[in-house]
Amino acid sequence: MAPAPPTRREILLLALLFFFLALIPNRHSLLPAAVLDFPTATTTANHSSPTAQAPFDTQIHDTKLTWGSSYPPETSVVVHVPGWTVFDKLYIFKGIVYIVTDHPTTVPDVQFIYSKALSIKPGAEAEAERLPTKDEIQVITTKQAHKLFGTSAQTIDGFTFLVNDPPQFITHYYHWSAELWYGFWRTYSSLDGSISAEGNTTLPPPRRILFNHLDNFHWRDYTSMNEWVVRSSFPSINLEFKDDWRDRIEMNKPFVFERVLVADRSAAMLAYNYARYQRTAAAAFALPGSMNWWQPIRNNVVKFAGMDPEVGGGTTSKPVITYISRQEWGRRMLLPAHHDRLVKELYKLRDEHGYEVNIVNAEKMSRVEQIRIAARTTIMMGVHGNGLTSLLWMKPSPRSTVIEFFYPQGFAHDYEYTTRALGMVHYGFWDSEYFTSPGLPTPRYVEGFQGNEIPVDGAAVARLCLERLSLNEEVDD
């Protein structure tokens, strides 16, 4: 006999049973939060719960800027000084840079933006040869852009740092860190006037650096500091080179940068501040900015070296004097007897006043050691040379000082300008005579400047150190 069909009441009860089973959590949700590696109730506000986020971004990203039958969006000049320009919507097509605008009078002369990126040679003829032509950069109308590009351009998203320079100066610790990186960050940081002393900034990190005239084998310096500075400043940054630039040329498609900072050494050399200081980064200091502009970079590099960014600051901690000796370098060295006297006078300061004194040879130190000792240093000193570049990692304070030894009557702005732009004090020495801003001599590379018989009065240096560390000049009369 066939079973009786279910009654209406039985069907209703079965439906209710399935409904309640569906409401019961799965077995994994009954496990403690720690087992699933979820945050517990003590999770801080700085960390959001993974349960509130999808594990992957499933959004479809639009890789094109499309305008269809309309005209392309215009290029905006966000920030500009000669050699350092931030653009929104800057176009490139077949290797040529295009500024798209229907208001060309608002665009600076392109010679102050871009060049042929030839090696820097002296003389008016060489300067004229570096000027850009229509094969490098053009200013065109939106109508012309529509005819040239068509209905869209491939988007290069995020913030890009485009370096239109030859390899000539890039493969050098000073020219990389204290000119290219220095000028790049000074320009970009002008967009955030509220950078704090702790280095907090609202600026998004750059997505990539693009070298359109440089290959992957020629951006690192012989001391291996360039890559350290880049990777510690922005750990996620990507680097592209001339082969990548060529890829885009050969694709025969227009590309558009969402935001890009174009750096050009030749263009920066046309700036008034370059004429004053012979530093390409000096042009960027005509822009407004926070007094703490460098701290995001400095603090990232110092933290990467395993140090607390607050090290070296204030006026109550034990002062640290670091003499970077070149006596084993073979070029630009102190007279041996003067070096010995200087070391003796510095150790006398240590013994009589309790200062920490370090006599170091940078070429014998690891990159970590160089950065760590610079971060702790109150007074750094040495003969004009690459070792002084690490002054970048000192923490500015009322006592922070750089003392540079020159052959008498010789002078260059390199480290003087770099020091002062960070808010620290620089002194140049000609034996027993010394000078500081604004009473600076005219730059001169005199005979003996590069030699190994540079004199310095160690006792005079020690007296200046004591004066700076005692803050005598800060005392009211």
Side-chain angles (χ1 to χ4, degrees):
M1 179 184 235
T7 65
R8 240 188 223 181
R9 184 171 178 275
E10 289 172 334
I11 293 173
L12 180 59
L13 289 173
L14 187 61
L16 289 172
L17 177 62
F18 279 118
F19 175 77
F20 285 112
L21 284 173
L23 293 180
I24 297 175
N26 63 49
R27 62 187 179 88
H28 292 296
S29 65
L30 301 177
L31 293 173
V35 175
L36 290 179
D37 199 25
F38 286 175
T40 65
T42 59
T43 301
T44 65
N46 292 327
H47 298 83
S48 58
S49 168
T51 58
Q53 300 176 354
F56 299 102
D57 184 359
T58 57
Q59 178 183 353
I60 297 176
H61 293 282
D62 191 353
T63 59
K64 279 187 177 182
L65 175 64
T66 303
W67 50 85
S69 60
S70 302
Y71 291 148
E74 294 188 54
T75 303
S76 299
V77 179
V78 181
V79 166
H80 169 75
V81 289
W84 307 95
T85 311
V86 177
F87 293 100
D88 284 347
K89 301 292 187 297
L90 183 70
Y91 298 80
I92 56 173
F93 184 45
K94 297 182 179 180
I96 300 174
V97 172
Y98 289 95
I99 301 171
V100 176
T101 180
D102 290 328
H103 307 88
T105 58
T106 64
V107 178
D109 191 317
V110 293
Q111 69 175 328
F112 298 109
I113 298 172
Y114 212 68
S115 74
K116 292 179 182 175
L118 302 176
S119 292
I120 305 299
K121 297 177 182 178
E125 184 178 342
E127 184 176 314
E129 193 175 323
R130 296 194 298 268
L131 294 177
T133 68
K134 289 187 176 182
D135 292 333
E136 287 79 42
I137 186 170
Q138 296 183 29
V139 180
I140 61 175
T141 65
T142 56
K143 183 177 181 180
Q144 291 172 318
H146 188 278
K147 183 177 180 180
L148 182 64
F149 302 152
T151 60
S152 65
Q154 300 295 316
T155 300
I156 304 175
D157 65 349
F159 174 56
T160 301
F161 179 30
L162 171 58
V163 183
N164 189 53
D165 282 0
Q168 184 180 10
F169 291 98
I170 288 175
T171 55
H172 189 279
Y173 178 30
Y174 174 80
H175 291 294
W176 175 277
S177 297
E179 279 204 292
L180 186 63
W181 211 235
Y182 211 59
F184 145 67
W185 188 253
R186 182 60 183 81
T187 304
Y188 188 38
S189 68
S190 69
L191 300 178
D192 180 7
S194 59
I195 296 175
S196 69
E198 294 75 32
N200 297 324
T201 178
T202 59
L203 296 170
R207 188 74 55 85
R208 68 191 61 80
I209 311 175
L210 202 169
F211 301 94
N212 55 349
H213 298 283
L214 189 69
D215 62 46
N216 188 35
F217 300 100
H218 295 92
W219 72 279
R220 296 171 175 86
D221 64 308
Y222 69 88
T223 66
S224 297
M225 290 297 288
N226 287 2
E227 57 266 39
W228 184 280
V229 172
V230 171
R231 305 300 184 189
S232 58
S233 296
F234 303 109
S236 298
I237 201 166
N238 293 312
L239 276 73
E240 294 189 15
F241 299 91
K242 63 181 182 181
D243 287 338
D244 303 286
W245 183 260
R246 190 180 300 115
D247 287 344
R248 292 191 172 95
I249 294 174
E250 294 173 353
M251 288 175 180
N252 200 30
K253 294 284 187 180
F255 289 81
V256 58
F257 292 101
E258 281 190 333
R259 172 162 285 186
V260 58
L261 193 166
V262 179
D264 190 290
R265 171 174 282 271
S266 184
M269 292 174 67
L270 301 176
Y272 171 70
N273 270 359
Y274 180 84
R276 291 178 67 191
Y277 302 113
Q278 298 79 55
R279 301 295 96 212
T280 56
F285 285 84
L287 297 170
S290 165
M291 64 179 296
N292 303 306
W293 69 276
W294 183 244
Q295 292 312 298
I297 302 294
R298 184 261 178 191
N299 289 0
N300 281 356
V301 172
V302 170
K303 284 190 289 186
F304 194 74
M307 300 287 286
D308 184 336
E310 291 305 308
V311 69
T315 57
T316 58
S317 57
K318 183 177 182 178
V320 178
I321 300 173
T322 300
Y323 165 34
I324 300 176
S325 170
R326 294 177 60 95
Q327 293 306 105
E328 298 181 29
W329 186 247
R331 181 168 171 263
R332 260 189 259 129
M333 302 189 299
L334 293 179
L335 289 162
H338 288 220
H339 163 79
D340 293 342
R341 176 68 188 279
L342 174 62
V343 171
K344 180 180 178 181
E345 292 291 340
L346 294 178
Y347 282 148
K348 187 176 177 182
L349 285 178
R350 176 196 64 187
D351 297 339
E352 294 183 358
H353 298 278
Y355 305 150
E356 179 182 334
V357 172
N358 303 293
I359 315 297
V360 302
N361 295 282
E363 64 273 16
K364 293 184 177 181
M365 302 173 70
S366 70
R367 293 173 295 178
V368 173
E369 290 171 331
Q370 291 184 55
I371 292 169
R372 285 180 175 177
I373 200 165
R376 298 176 54 247
T377 293
T378 317
I379 297 181
M380 180 179 289
M381 66 180 68
V383 174
H384 174 84
N386 200 28
L388 289 177
T389 304
S390 288
L391 69 88
L392 294 170
W393 319 126
M394 294 171 62
K395 189 171 182 64
S397 78
R399 299 187 300 187
S400 299
T401 309
V402 174
I403 299 175
E404 187 174 3
F405 310 137
F406 297 97
Y407 193 86
Q409 307 310 309
F411 176 66
H413 273 292
D414 305 40
Y415 304 98
E416 185 278 329
Y417 187 81
T418 306
T419 302
R420 192 155 45 83
L422 292 176
M424 302 190 295
V425 177
H426 176 279
Y427 287 89
F429 260 82
W430 291 339
D431 198 358
S432 59
E433 180 183 354
Y434 59 87
F435 48 85
T436 189
S437 180
L440 298 174
T442 301
R444 291 180 64 197
Y445 291 89
V446 297
E447 185 177 353
F449 188 93
Q450 311 284 6
N452 299 331
E453 297 182 343
I454 299 172
V456 71
D457 185 334
V461 173
R463 286 194 297 272
L464 178 60
C465 287
L466 182 59
E467 178 182 311
R468 290 292 300 144
L469 296 177
S470 301
L471 296 177
N472 290 342
E473 71 275 18
E474 304 296 332
V475 178
D476 292 333
D477 292 332

